[in-house]
Amino acid sequence: MTKLAARRDEEADEKPRRGRPRCLIRRHAVLESSLVLLGERGFRGVTMEAIAEHAGVGKVTLYRHWPSKAAIFMDAFLAKQQAEVPFGDTGSALDDLRIGMLSLMKLFRGPMGPQVAGLIAEGILDPEVGEILRTRWVRPRRAEAAKIVQRGIDAGQLPKDCDAEALLDALYGPIYLRLMLGHEKIDRAFVEKTFATVTKGIRP
Amino acid sequence: MTKLAARRDEEADEKPRRGRPRCLIRRHAVLESSLVLLGERGFRGVTMEAIAEHAGVGKVTLYRHWPSKAAIFMDAFLAKQQAEVPFGDTGSALDDLRIGMLSLMKLFRGPMGPQVAGLIAEGILDPEVGEILRTRWVRPRRAEAAKIVQRGIDAGQLPKDCDAEALLDALYGPIYLRLMLGHEKIDRAFVEKTFATVTKGIRP
Amino acid sequence: MTKLAARRDEEADEKPRRGRPRCLIRRHAVLESSLVLLGERGFRGVTMEAIAEHAGVGKVTLYRHWPSKAAIFMDAFLAKQQAEVPFGDTGSALDDLRIGMLSLMKLFRGPMGPQVAGLIAEGILDPEVGEILRTRWVRPRRAEAAKIVQRGIDAGQLPKDCDAEALLDALYGPIYLRLMLGHEKIDRAFVEKTFATVTKGIRP
Amino acid sequence: MTKLAARRDEEADEKPRRGRPRCLIRRHAVLESSLVLLGERGFRGVTMEAIAEHAGVGKVTLYRHWPSKAAIFMDAFLAKQQAEVPFGDTGSALDDLRIGMLSLMKLFRGPMGPQVAGLIAEGILDPEVGEILRTRWVRPRRAEAAKIVQRGIDAGQLPKDCDAEALLDALYGPIYLRLMLGHEKIDRAFVEKTFATVTKGIRP
DNA sequence: GTATAAACGAGACGGTACGTCAGGTCTTTCT
DNA sequence: AGAAAGACCTGACGTACCGTCTCGTTTATAC
């Protein structure tokens, strides 16, 4: 966490530090390039040197801004991703959750699907990456979804003893599983069936 | 696939070829060493050279027997794993599935949990590894589980239109999700709750 | 030459230029620091960045004042060195030359010996440094020595056809050789013997 | 010394070491390339990477065979140099020494002049290089020259109390000085005059 | 038996990428 | 306007592994 959090600390540093400030243009160029190369060569095939060259940037600049390749991809992904993959807000908690599942499906079927998978894989292989992934991707989304569940409980649409975490894992786990193992495709029928099964299963 | 399948082809080669035959002792030493080092340094930290040195074996021997590092780990894992993580055979399809979930839980909570996660991660990052993983780990287990589901359908314990794939994803997906994201722990209560929810959800 | 001469041009700039004048205190701090670091780490080990940091000065300031690392050392050396290593002025040209040899010996045996050697080495490896070394160290001293030789010729202490350059090389060459190859030590007996041999050799 | 001597130790290692033996062809290619590049770009301008590329060799091979850039040049120089720059063997010690001076002159005026100068400079800036330079270039030549001096003493051509080291420094020092400072050129007249002066000076 | 062919340990080899260092330039803010 | 701080591009550094290739040696069958 320390390493990956470093960048954030600096971001939090509101006071303008001495010396020449870090150039945001370069920052964007790097994130842009990393995604381009990611598309062309895949996670493993992208090297720090390739990113640097493609972005017209020195390698040192990369290491100044990010502690590792995975951290670059993380930033690039989150920057592009923020506020996408929304949940609904329809008044019905069940509908909201269903909308969330469908938007995740869309994400996973699009070009970012393999990227998310790659990030999760990196998170498994490198604990630091895993931690930052949980902190910046999993938990924020979970918090949002948990609010919906709470609303459902309050509105009597979900049982009072409903375990939000287990419910969300039951809904999303199957989708993530197909993304990662690639044994079956993630189509609408599958998502709807999963949703139907689980929601029926939790009803009192 | 080509690369990873190579080893199997040779295995199929029953006829004793001329010259000195490949030494099984070395084979075992390598698999042993790979697991030891995996425990010490994690997936990323283990190198072919380290395995070779630890096993007291030349690098060429590694490449003669296996086409890649992941293939070694795969063999090591499957050798240790074979016939573990059984499903039950109790007469009740639901009980059999539940037993399968619990034995998977035990596996994931033990020392092999991170190893499975690492293999899956490698499978995401390297398509060839992904393919072999599906071929030798996912599909065999699926086939077995599908048989149980079919038995359940035949016995009237499961609805006739039951989609085996979706059902298995619904049961196992949540457990795999927690293994890979590490956001919550995989305890018995969670497994039981997931089982209860899903089985209730699919009942007609 | 261009690069190394730059500093001199500016020095010649007598007219006080516009804006804040360059701070001499910094100049001294830099020269001081360069010698300190030279003693600690040797010629190779001293970097521009280290000098800047040690002197509490920006790197740009360094490059504004001097065109290269060697130029800094050259200035530092010459500043400390000025008017040392004198020739005598005894009325006897031979005695004057002998005094010059002995003062050079003292210089080479002291802490500046390795520094002079280092400067000469830099002068060999970098032609620009070599040129400035000749311009600011070798030739001024040669000119002085040549005057002594001329006085000796005029006074009949040296033969009329005496080749000043060859004579000086014969006297000083052996001392420089031992400084640079380090194969033998530079002691008084050696200097005296060299002086005796050469002066006997040139007598008509 | 340790580092630079390493290569030699291995050379002395007569017993054929285990594993694939080091390839002499590469060795020669590297030495060849280093001299070519030295001629083109000078001591400073040659990089390990350039040598490696020019020789069609991996960088690791360079570091396996030699501990430093200077060590490569040293080997290349000595290989090309061995048995050149001979002394004479005319019966007359003085003539032999004179011939030695003239062959040194020829060496210094040719393409190897700057190379020798560069090696000496490196020897000043890096003590390890200095040591190997003394061991493999200076002392062997000195030993040979000292034998000539001894022959001269025995034959009565040189005084009995003649200090060989001081004499050789007096003869060669001036030539080396001009090579390294570059303040005057090394022509035959200069060498002859130096020879004449010194030999006259030591005569009893 | 003895030849032969492959496996084997060791380690050299050409590569690619790594992460770091220093050089020299530029862009801020402070003085 | 000068200066310190430090970001920046560049290029080289020395190292780590990769996967391949010799070596000399060992160990099975095949002749």
Side-chain angles (χ1 to χ4, degrees):
Chain A
M1 182 174 57
T2 25
K3 260 173 64 185
L4 282 155
R7 206 198 53 74
R8 305 225 70 193
D9 294 346
E10 290 168 13
E11 211 166 83
D13 246 332
E14 291 300 335
K15 65 190 169 199
R17 302 206 268 67
R18 296 218 300 166
R20 176 175 171 179
R22 293 196 180 164
C23 180
L24 287 181
I25 296 169
R26 262 93 177 189
R27 199 158 191 292
H28 290 132
V30 168
L31 296 182
E32 198 68 38
S33 296
S34 70
L35 289 180
V36 170
L37 293 171
L38 186 55
E40 288 175 5
R41 313 186 195 177
F43 229 99
R44 279 280 159 92
V46 181
T47 66
M48 291 296 254
E49 292 191 332
I51 296 174
E53 188 185 347
H54 189 276
V57 143
K59 266 200 295 179
V60 178
T61 298
L62 294 189
Y63 289 103
R64 219 195 319 271
H65 285 255
W66 297 274
S68 69
K69 191 171 68 175
I72 297 177
F73 285 129
M74 193 74 72
D75 264 14
F77 167 68
L78 291 172
K80 178 151 283 187
Q81 189 47 33
Q82 69 209 10
E84 287 188 45
V85 198
F87 295 90
D89 190 5
T90 59
S92 160
L94 290 176
D95 278 357
D96 290 354
L97 290 170
R98 188 170 149 273
I99 290 169
M101 287 174 77
L102 290 170
S103 64
L104 190 72
M105 177 193 83
K106 260 178 225 143
L107 178 75
F108 283 2
R109 293 168 64 115
M112 307 209 73
Q115 295 177 18
V116 179
L119 280 175
I120 295 174
E122 291 289 321
I124 291 169
L125 296 172
D126 183 337
E128 287 192 10
V129 177
E131 184 52 34
I132 196 71
L133 188 63
R134 279 187 288 277
T135 304
R136 296 179 64 188
W137 165 250
V138 178
R139 283 207 263 271
R141 284 185 54 74
R142 277 282 154 140
E144 190 118 8
K147 270 188 281 181
I148 293 174
V149 172
Q150 191 55 49
R151 280 208 305 266
I153 294 172
D154 295 344
Q157 299 157 351
L158 294 170
K160 285 197 198 71
D161 64 340
C162 180
D163 179 343
E165 290 297 332
L167 170 59
L168 294 171
D169 288 335
L171 290 171
Y172 289 105
I175 304 178
Y176 274 93
L177 186 66
R178 291 198 169 184
L179 174 71
M180 287 183 290
L181 290 188
H183 57 299
E184 297 286 335
K185 63 177 189 288
I186 305 170
D187 56 15
R188 183 152 193 140
F190 165 67
V191 174
E192 298 284 11
K193 181 169 295 176
T194 303
F195 175 75
T197 299
V198 173
T199 49
K200 182 175 168 204
I202 58 166
R203 250 173 310 201
Chain B
M1 179 172 61
T2 26
K3 263 171 63 185
L4 282 154
R7 206 198 54 74
R8 304 225 70 192
D9 295 346
E10 290 169 13
E11 212 164 84
D13 245 334
E14 290 301 336
K15 64 189 169 198
R17 296 185 279 93
R18 296 222 309 160
R20 177 175 172 179
R22 291 193 184 167
C23 179
L24 286 181
I25 296 169
R26 262 95 178 186
R27 203 160 189 290
H28 290 132
V30 167
L31 297 181
E32 198 66 39
S33 295
S34 71
L35 289 180
V36 170
L37 293 171
L38 185 55
E40 287 176 5
R41 313 185 196 178
F43 228 99
R44 280 281 159 90
V46 181
T47 66
M48 290 297 254
E49 290 186 336
I51 295 174
E53 188 186 346
H54 189 276
V57 143
K59 269 202 294 177
V60 177
T61 299
L62 294 189
Y63 288 104
R64 220 191 320 268
H65 287 254
W66 298 273
S68 70
K69 188 172 71 176
I72 298 177
F73 285 127
M74 195 75 71
D75 263 16
F77 168 68
L78 291 172
K80 178 151 283 189
Q81 187 47 33
Q82 69 211 10
E84 287 189 46
V85 199
F87 294 90
D89 189 6
T90 60
S92 158
L94 290 177
D95 277 358
D96 290 354
L97 291 171
R98 188 168 149 275
I99 289 169
M101 286 175 75
L102 289 171
S103 65
L104 191 73
M105 178 192 83
K106 259 177 227 145
L107 178 75
F108 285 1
R109 292 167 63 114
M112 308 210 72
Q115 295 177 19
V116 179
L119 280 175
I120 295 174
E122 291 290 320
I124 291 169
L125 296 172
D126 183 337
E128 287 191 11
V129 178
E131 185 52 34
I132 195 71
L133 188 63
R134 279 187 290 278
T135 304
R136 298 179 63 190
W137 164 250
V138 178
R139 284 207 263 271
R141 285 185 54 74
R142 277 281 154 141
E144 188 122 8
K147 270 188 281 183
I148 293 173
V149 172
Q150 191 55 47
R151 281 207 307 265
I153 293 171
D154 296 343
Q157 298 157 350
L158 293 171
K160 285 199 198 69
D161 64 341
C162 181
D163 178 343
E165 291 297 333
L167 170 58
L168 294 171
D169 288 336
L171 290 172
Y172 289 104
I175 303 177
Y176 274 93
L177 187 67
R178 291 198 169 185
L179 174 70
M180 286 182 289
L181 289 188
H183 57 299
E184 295 286 337
K185 62 178 190 289
I186 304 171
D187 56 16
R188 183 153 194 140
F190 165 66
V191 175
E192 298 284 12
K193 182 169 298 177
T194 301
F195 176 75
T197 299
V198 173
T199 50
K200 182 175 168 204
I202 57 166
R203 251 170 311 199
Chain C
M1 180 172 60
T2 25
K3 260 173 64 184
L4 282 154
R7 207 198 56 74
R8 306 224 68 193
D9 295 346
E10 290 168 15
E11 211 164 83
D13 244 333
E14 291 298 339
K15 64 190 167 196
R17 297 188 275 92
R18 294 216 311 157
R20 179 170 167 181
R22 290 193 185 163
C23 181
L24 286 180
I25 296 169
R26 261 106 180 177
R27 201 157 191 293
H28 289 131
V30 168
L31 298 181
E32 197 67 37
S33 296
S34 71
L35 290 180
V36 170
L37 293 171
L38 186 55
E40 287 175 5
R41 314 185 195 178
F43 229 99
R44 280 281 159 92
V46 181
T47 67
M48 290 297 254
E49 287 180 341
I51 295 175
E53 187 186 346
H54 189 276
V57 143
K59 267 204 293 179
V60 177
T61 300
L62 256 44
Y63 287 104
R64 223 194 315 272
H65 286 260
W66 298 273
S68 71
K69 190 170 70 176
I72 298 178
F73 285 128
M74 194 74 72
D75 263 17
F77 168 68
L78 291 172
K80 178 149 282 187
Q81 188 49 33
Q82 69 210 8
E84 287 188 45
V85 198
F87 295 91
D89 189 7
T90 60
S92 160
L94 290 177
D95 278 356
D96 290 353
L97 290 170
R98 187 170 149 275
I99 289 169
M101 288 174 74
L102 289 171
S103 62
L104 190 71
M105 176 193 83
K106 260 177 224 144
L107 178 74
F108 284 1
R109 294 169 63 120
M112 309 210 71
Q115 297 178 18
V116 179
L119 279 175
I120 294 174
E122 291 289 321
I124 291 168
L125 296 173
D126 183 337
E128 288 191 10
V129 177
E131 183 53 34
I132 196 70
L133 188 64
R134 280 186 289 277
T135 306
R136 298 180 62 190
W137 164 251
V138 178
R139 283 208 263 272
R141 285 185 54 76
R142 277 283 153 137
E144 188 122 8
K147 270 188 282 183
I148 293 173
V149 172
Q150 192 56 47
R151 280 208 306 268
I153 294 172
D154 295 344
Q157 296 156 352
L158 294 169
K160 285 201 199 64
D161 63 344
C162 180
D163 178 341
E165 289 298 332
L167 170 58
L168 294 171
D169 287 335
L171 291 171
Y172 289 106
I175 303 177
Y176 274 93
L177 186 67
R178 291 198 168 183
L179 173 70
M180 286 183 290
L181 290 187
H183 57 299
E184 296 284 336
K185 63 178 189 289
I186 305 169
D187 56 15
R188 185 155 194 139
F190 164 67
V191 174
E192 299 283 13
K193 182 168 295 177
T194 302
F195 175 76
T197 298
V198 173
T199 49
K200 184 175 167 203
I202 57 165
R203 250 169 312 198
Chain D
M1 180 174 57
T2 26
K3 261 173 62 184
L4 282 154
R7 206 198 54 74
R8 306 224 70 194
D9 293 346
E10 289 169 15
E11 211 164 84
D13 244 333
E14 291 300 336
K15 63 189 168 198
R17 299 209 268 66
R18 295 211 297 164
R20 178 174 170 179
R22 293 196 181 164
C23 179
L24 286 182
I25 296 170
R26 263 91 176 193
R27 200 159 191 291
H28 290 132
V30 168
L31 297 181
E32 199 67 39
S33 295
S34 71
L35 289 180
V36 170
L37 293 172
L38 186 55
E40 289 175 6
R41 313 185 196 178
F43 227 99
R44 280 280 159 92
V46 181
T47 65
M48 292 296 255
E49 292 192 334
I51 296 174
E53 189 186 346
H54 189 277
V57 143
K59 266 201 295 179
V60 177
T61 298
L62 295 190
Y63 290 106
R64 222 193 317 270
H65 286 255
W66 298 273
S68 68
K69 191 170 70 174
I72 297 177
F73 285 128
M74 193 75 70
D75 264 15
F77 167 69
L78 291 172
K80 178 150 282 187
Q81 187 47 34
Q82 70 209 8
E84 286 189 45
V85 198
F87 295 89
D89 189 7
T90 60
S92 161
L94 288 178
D95 278 356
D96 290 353
L97 290 171
R98 189 170 147 273
I99 288 170
M101 287 174 75
L102 289 170
S103 64
L104 191 72
M105 178 193 82
K106 259 177 228 145
L107 178 76
F108 284 1
R109 292 168 63 114
M112 308 209 71
Q115 295 178 18
V116 180
L119 279 176
I120 295 174
E122 291 289 321
I124 291 169
L125 295 174
D126 183 337
E128 286 191 11
V129 178
E131 183 54 32
I132 196 72
L133 187 64
R134 279 187 290 278
T135 305
R136 297 179 63 189
W137 165 250
V138 178
R139 284 206 263 272
R141 285 185 53 74
R142 277 282 155 139
E144 189 119 8
K147 271 188 281 182
I148 293 174
V149 172
Q150 191 56 47
R151 282 206 306 267
I153 294 171
D154 295 344
Q157 297 157 352
L158 293 170
K160 285 198 200 70
D161 63 344
C162 181
D163 177 344
E165 289 298 332
L167 169 58
L168 294 170
D169 288 335
L171 290 171
Y172 289 105
I175 302 178
Y176 275 93
L177 186 66
R178 291 197 169 186
L179 173 71
M180 288 183 288
L181 290 188
H183 58 298
E184 296 285 336
K185 64 178 190 289
I186 305 169
D187 56 15
R188 183 153 193 140
F190 164 68
V191 174
E192 297 284 12
K193 182 169 296 176
T194 302
F195 176 75
T197 298
V198 172
T199 50
K200 182 175 167 204
I202 58 165
R203 250 171 313 201

